[in-house]
Amino acid sequence: KKGLNVRDKMLWCTRALKFIVCILGKLVEDSVLEVHVAAKATYNEVLAPHHSWPVRQVARTALSQCPWRRDMLKKLEMTNVEFIAAATELLGLMAPMVTHVHLTLVKFGLEKPSAIGGTILTKDGQLPKPKAAPATETETQTTKTTAEADTADTESVPAAE
């Protein structure tokens, strides 16, 4: 028997959607957060627990190549305010669906209830509220350091067996 079975495909598809939704959620919640910081932090929460040590190292290296927020906005031909509005609308559609699929997988014993990123909605069934946006568009160019995401990268190398 080769390849993944249907259950595994559904799990990984759901995890990938959780990853996307959580990155968007972080970028909406913090209007100056850099994409690579959001991507690394989300990877550590959502996907890393399901990957082997070598895969985690490769994924983290790849995620460090995500564009800067200003470059992403330029490619999307959007201002930060427009991006946040569009991403909030998309999250309003995706988050409840991803949460429902996650809870269904949990119900049938296919995913752990504790899987991070599974329930993206707050306890009252709402999307998390974004933090207040900076007063001017130029303030959105301010970047956060990568120290937040990089601190999670400092895992020790597993001992040789």
Side-chain angles (χ1 to χ4, degrees):
K1 180 170 142 176
K2 290 188 176 186
L4 298 173
N5 60 34
V6 173
R7 180 200 71 149
D8 291 339
K9 289 177 183 178
M10 185 66 170
L11 274 174
W12 281 106
C13 182
T14 303
R15 289 171 182 164
L17 287 172
K18 285 184 212 177
F19 180 71
I20 293 166
V21 167
C22 288
I23 288 176
L24 284 175
K26 287 179 189 311
L27 293 173
V28 165
E29 186 179 331
D30 187 340
S31 64
V32 295
L33 184 66
E34 288 298 331
V35 179
H36 64 277
V37 175
K40 282 183 173 182
T42 301
Y43 174 78
N44 289 331
E45 295 169 10
V46 177
L47 297 177
H50 308 289
H51 287 160
S52 64
W53 185 85
V55 172
R56 287 193 303 266
Q57 303 318 304
V58 170
R60 288 179 181 137
T61 300
L63 291 172
S64 68
Q65 300 303 308
C66 288
W68 291 96
R69 190 178 191 111
R70 68 178 178 272
D71 295 334
M72 175 193 73
L73 293 171
K74 188 176 179 181
K75 288 272 186 196
L76 293 173
E77 298 180 355
M78 295 177 140
T79 66
N80 200 38
V81 173
E82 291 170 332
F83 169 76
I84 290 171
T88 300
E89 183 179 348
L90 183 59
L91 284 169
L93 299 170
M94 287 183 70
M97 178 206 53
V98 172
T99 299
H100 178 74
V101 171
H102 169 77
L103 294 174
T104 302
L105 290 170
V106 169
K107 178 181 176 181
F108 290 103
L110 301 174
E111 179 70 288
K112 297 175 188 169
S114 62
I116 302 294
T119 303
I120 296 140
L121 304 177
T122 61
K123 290 181 183 178
D124 61 352
Q126 301 299 313
L127 286 168
K129 299 288 184 223
K131 293 179 185 174
T136 65
E137 188 65 21
T138 55
E139 289 179 48
T140 62
Q141 303 282 326
T142 307
T143 61
K144 289 194 173 194
T145 66
T146 58
E148 295 169 8
D150 290 342
T151 55
D153 288 354
T154 56
E155 274 188 45
S156 60
V157 178
E161 295 182 27

